[in-house]
Amino acid sequence: MEWVETTGRTIEEAKDAALDQLGVDESDAEFEVVEEPKSGLFGRLRSEARVRARVRPTRPRPKDERRSRRKPRDRGERQPARSATGGGDSPAGDAPRRERPPRERQRPARPRANDDDGGSMVEDVPMEQQAEVAREFLAGLVQQFGAAGSVEVRPIDEDTVELAIVGDDLGLLIGPKGQTLGAVQELARTVVQRKTGGRNGRLVVDVGGYREARRAALTRFTQQVAAEVKESGRARGLEPMSPADRKVVHDTANEIDGVSTTSEGEEPRRRVVILPG
């Protein structure tokens, strides 16, 4: 995944701008601070903060090899000296040597397992296996909600799988502005990680085609607002949105001549502002 570089008056502001471009939550991104903000005279900002960011790699980094550790030898402990002749009596006046109990052999450390997943290791788990665990969880969730629907597994690429819940009367699984859908997706990811130990790849959950419909509606809405901004010459701030929705707005507006976009505020109240020019 390519890195993006953004600036802001503070590091947090620069990070928020990067999340807008990437269209992901902060937990799905990694950052590098390129430059700290610098203040000039009278508290004025001399240079902005600059950060680099990208979507967190889907495959885990290789772990350092575990090294077996031995118990440190007690400094006060000395090994009994062997006589030069290899045996014989102790010198006159010397106290007899005491036999020391043999040291316990250090057992090899067992690799750490997830406490919550029944002992499964964190590893690179095939996406087909992760998708099947997620499918079973979502199917059970649909049943618990009393809805009539099925779960379809739709591979997007080698590292991304969409689990689409299709059926009727699925509004309860979507919620206002997709908030319940977002929570369902995080639950599914957590269940998969605990049961399989897999943290590679990306699982995306959709319900009743909501995500595609939301993207199309945001595109049309952004085009309409951009036209109004161009005509009036006045900026317009939109309602707070998720990083993924803000990305749709930014991408759509940036393809329209005569307008530009910026973001303001902090999560979860961060919003896009469409500007003339």
Side-chain angles (χ1 to χ4, degrees):
M1 174 62 66
E2 295 183 357
W3 292 83
V4 299
E5 188 168 305
T6 55
T7 60
R9 290 172 295 181
T10 65
I11 291 177
E12 289 303 317
E13 186 174 309
K15 285 183 177 181
D16 285 339
L19 292 175
D20 286 351
Q21 289 193 29
L22 296 174
V24 298
D25 294 322
E26 186 170 355
S27 59
D28 293 329
E30 62 179 18
F31 302 91
E32 289 183 2
V33 178
V34 178
E35 185 178 355
E36 298 272 356
K38 296 179 182 178
S39 299
L41 294 175
F42 309 111
R44 294 180 179 177
L45 187 66
R46 189 173 66 182
S47 63
E48 293 186 320
R50 185 181 300 274
V51 301
R52 297 175 69 235
R54 66 175 178 178
V55 176
R56 192 179 300 278
T58 55
R59 298 187 181 277
R61 296 178 180 177
K63 297 182 179 179
D64 295 335
E65 295 182 357
R66 295 180 173 88
R67 300 177 180 176
S68 59
R69 298 180 178 177
R70 297 181 180 177
K71 290 184 178 180
R73 179 175 295 173
D74 186 357
R75 293 184 179 179
E77 177 185 337
R78 296 180 180 177
Q79 295 291 339
R82 297 181 179 178
S83 65
T85 59
D89 297 333
S90 300
D94 285 354
R97 297 186 179 92
R98 294 182 179 179
E99 293 281 339
R100 292 189 180 273
R103 291 176 175 270
E104 278 191 13
R105 294 184 178 179
Q106 180 74 17
R107 295 182 180 179
R110 295 181 180 180
R112 181 180 294 178
N114 287 343
D115 294 336
D116 299 327
D117 59 17
S120 62
M121 292 298 300
V122 175
E123 57 184 4
D124 191 355
V125 178
M127 292 305 299
E128 293 82 0
Q129 181 180 344
Q130 295 188 49
E132 179 58 25
V133 172
R135 188 196 65 76
E136 292 179 359
F137 166 74
L138 292 172
L141 189 65
V142 171
Q143 186 176 4
Q144 290 296 321
F145 268 76
S150 59
V151 183
E152 298 180 358
V153 177
R154 301 171 179 175
I156 304 300
D157 54 45
E158 62 179 1
D159 292 323
T160 306
V161 172
E162 180 183 78
L163 295 113
I165 302 176
V166 296
D168 299 324
D169 299 328
L170 298 174
L172 284 176
L173 288 171
I174 298 174
K177 299 180 181 178
Q179 293 178 357
T180 305
L181 171 57
V184 168
Q185 177 172 277
E186 289 307 312
L187 278 175
R189 290 177 177 178
T190 300
V191 169
V192 170
Q193 290 175 2
R194 289 185 175 182
K195 286 193 174 183
T196 70
R199 296 181 183 274
N200 59 296
R202 185 165 178 258
L203 297 174
V204 179
V205 178
D206 193 11
V207 176
Y210 172 82
R211 292 191 184 277
E212 184 59 36
R214 172 75 173 171
R215 187 179 300 110
L218 275 175
T219 298
R220 292 192 300 270
F221 175 71
T222 302
Q223 292 170 342
Q224 178 183 346
V225 173
E228 295 174 358
V229 169
K230 287 175 63 176
E231 183 178 353
S232 66
R234 291 181 296 180
R236 179 171 170 184
L238 307 183
E239 63 180 7
M241 299 178 184
S242 67
D245 285 350
R246 294 198 302 267
K247 177 175 170 57
V248 174
V249 175
H250 285 301
D251 291 346
T252 302
N254 289 336
E255 294 179 356
I256 302 174
D257 293 333
V259 297
S260 60
T261 59
T262 186
S263 293
E264 62 181 26
E266 298 180 358
E267 298 290 357
R269 304 292 300 172
R270 191 164 175 79
R271 62 177 187 165
V272 178
V273 179
I274 300 181
L275 307 165

